[in-house]
């Protein structure tokens, strides 16, 4: 069997460093068709399995605002890799996990490579990885990509994911005030033969510019979706795209930040 693993993460989270470590820097570099965003893929040298690693452009979200985001999102949703390695900068974990909340909605087997652990330790910060993993519902492997630390374990755990299967992960919008609407739209999509319905339902609720073109909804389905969205906006009195962004941040600050323990910063040192 051969599999494709996509490396997804914020800019400067260490994607290229990890990519080089996994592939031995034998990458094929080109451009994505039609755009000037760099496309890199290479065979993983660290396993006898046949794994292609695709280094996606660095992104902060799956909303199509920049060419990078469009490329990354099209690759993830249309090409659907067999697994996602989501590289997260441990020293900036809250901000990085904003993207993670969106990646987990794609239903693709996902593992988190918690990078820059050396830097985290230097700062005296700590992350409770066991509980973080429980909360997110996907494996979290601490690594220091620049020193090749944790790479073997990361790869081992990635290979033991249910590669190539569609999964339902825990997600940040579960149990929120819009989860009923998400369910309604997901069910409508499922009944009409669509897959990947959680992600598509959320994008429709966000009134994403490209999603309707991609999905080509029938007029009646389109109407039903718009009605469900309008109803949710009416009930909550809020614009849904903003509400969804707020819910993601709230999920991170309420359910995840407690697993991050900041060490004493230099400025806090007191001498007696
Ligand atoms: P990308 O933008 O996601 O591709 O990130 P890069 O791989 O270019 O890395 C960004 C910066 O972080 C570079 O200066 C790397 O050398 C550095 N870096 C990557 N991984 C680590 C790590 O584990 N620890 C430390 N301290 N620096 C790292
Ligand atoms: K960079
Ligand atoms: Mg890079």
């Amino acid at each position: 069997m051969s599999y494709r693993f996509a490396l997804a993460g914020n800019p400067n989270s260490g994607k290229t460093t990890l990519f080089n470590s996994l592939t031995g820097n034998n990458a094929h570099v080109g451009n994505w068709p039609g755009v000037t965003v760099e496309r890199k893929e290479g065979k993983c040298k660290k396993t006898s399995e046949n794994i292609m690693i695709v280094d996606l452009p660095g992104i902060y979200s799956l909303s199509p605002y920049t060419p990078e985001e469009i490329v990354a999102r099209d690759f993830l949703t249309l090409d659907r890799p067999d697994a996602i390695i989501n590289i997260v900068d441990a020293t900036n974990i809250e901000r990085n996990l904003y993207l993670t909340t969106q990646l987990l909605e794609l239903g693709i087997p996902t593992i988190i490579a918690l990078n820059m652990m050396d830097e985290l330790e230097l700062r005296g910060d700590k992350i409770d990885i066991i509980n973080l993993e429980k909360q997110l519902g996907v494996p979290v492997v601490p690594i220091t990509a620049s020193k090749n630390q944790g790479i073997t374990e990361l790869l081992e755990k990635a290979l033991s994911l249910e590669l190539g299967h569609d999964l339902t992960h825990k997600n940040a919008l579960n149990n929120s005030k819009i989860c009923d609407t998400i369910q309604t739209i997901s069910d409508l999509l499922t009944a009409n033969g669509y897959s990947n319905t959680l992600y598509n339902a959320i994008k429709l609720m966000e009134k994403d510019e490209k999603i309707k073109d991609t999905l080509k909804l029938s007029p009646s389905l389109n109407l039903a979706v718009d009605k469900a969205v309008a109803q949710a906006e009416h009930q909550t009195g809020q614009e849904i795209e903003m509400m969804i962004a707020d819910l993601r941040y709230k999920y991170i600050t309420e359910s995840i930040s407690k697993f991050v323990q900041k060490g004493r910063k230099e400025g806090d040192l007191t001498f007696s």
Side-chain angles (χ1 to χ4, degrees):
M1 282 298 275
S2 73
Y3 294 109
R4 268 182 325 172
F5 290 0
L7 285 186
N10 288 10
N12 288 317
S13 56
K15 287 185 309 309
T16 301
T17 309
L18 177 60
F19 180 86
N20 291 343
S21 168
L22 290 170
T23 60
N25 203 0
N26 62 343
H28 171 79
V29 182
N31 279 337
W32 298 88
V35 271
T36 52
V37 179
E38 195 173 88
R39 178 192 183 109
K40 258 186 305 182
E41 45 186 83
K43 190 175 179 319
C44 183
K45 289 270 181 68
K46 299 242 154 139
T47 170
S48 55
E49 308 281 334
N50 192 4
I51 308 286
M52 283 301 283
I53 310 285
V54 180
D55 186 18
L56 294 178
I59 52 171
Y60 295 106
S61 83
L62 291 180
S63 302
Y65 297 127
T66 65
E68 286 80 7
E69 285 168 345
I70 292 170
V71 160
R73 158 172 150 161
D74 283 353
F75 186 82
L76 292 169
T77 59
L78 305 177
D79 290 335
R80 283 186 84 83
D82 298 295
I84 297 172
I85 299 178
N86 173 207
I87 183 158
V88 164
D89 175 354
T91 67
N92 218 336
I93 184 168
E94 279 118 329
R95 187 164 82 155
N96 278 238
L97 287 176
Y98 186 75
L99 174 66
T100 305
T101 63
Q102 299 178 59
L103 294 175
L104 291 176
E105 288 157 9
L106 293 168
I108 296 170
T110 299
I111 187 167
I112 293 177
L114 193 59
N115 193 31
M116 315 263 183
M117 289 304 289
D118 58 339
E119 185 62 33
L120 188 86
E121 274 157 33
L122 271 178
R123 293 183 185 193
D125 296 355
K126 288 201 170 71
I127 294 174
D128 177 350
I129 290 176
I130 293 173
N131 278 308
L132 176 63
E133 201 169 57
K134 271 193 202 145
Q135 178 64 41
L136 291 170
V138 295
V140 177
V141 182
I143 67 167
T144 298
S146 57
K147 296 178 184 161
N148 275 308
Q149 286 166 1
I151 310 297
T152 310
E153 195 194 351
L154 174 67
L155 198 55
E156 251 165 40
K157 287 206 176 163
L159 287 166
S160 65
L161 294 171
E162 291 181 70
L163 299 174
H165 287 73
D166 288 342
L167 304 175
T168 306
H169 294 113
K170 290 189 186 179
N171 75 81
L173 307 177
N174 266 351
N175 304 319
S176 72
K177 55 191 164 188
I178 53 165
C179 65
D180 290 346
T181 311
I182 295 174
Q183 193 60 51
T184 302
I185 298 176
S186 280
D187 290 347
L188 281 169
L189 292 172
T190 304
N192 284 274
Y194 287 93
S195 56
N196 201 5
T197 56
L198 175 65
Y199 167 81
N200 285 322
I202 293 168
K203 286 294 157 205
L204 285 165
M205 291 176 69
E206 289 177 337
K207 305 193 185 95
D208 182 279
E209 283 170 33
K210 298 186 83 194
I211 201 72
K212 282 197 171 177
D213 289 343
T214 308
L215 295 177
K216 299 184 175 66
L217 303 181
S218 70
S220 62
L221 183 54
N222 197 23
L223 204 67
V225 167
D226 286 349
K227 200 173 141 195
V229 173
Q231 213 165 39
E233 285 192 324
H234 182 72
Q235 273 164 13
T236 57
Q238 267 179 293
E239 206 262 305
I240 296 232
E241 188 180 1
M242 286 301 295
M243 198 192 311
I244 289 177
D246 286 347
L247 287 167
R248 293 188 195 286
Y249 285 119
K250 190 161 153 256
Y251 169 76
I252 292 168
T253 54
E254 288 181 0
S255 305
I256 294 191
S257 294
K258 60 188 172 210
F259 304 130
V260 182
Q261 186 196 319
K262 298 282 179 195
R264 228 160 37 152
K265 288 191 219 88
E266 272 167 60
D268 298 339
L269 286 178
T270 51
F271 299 93
S272 52

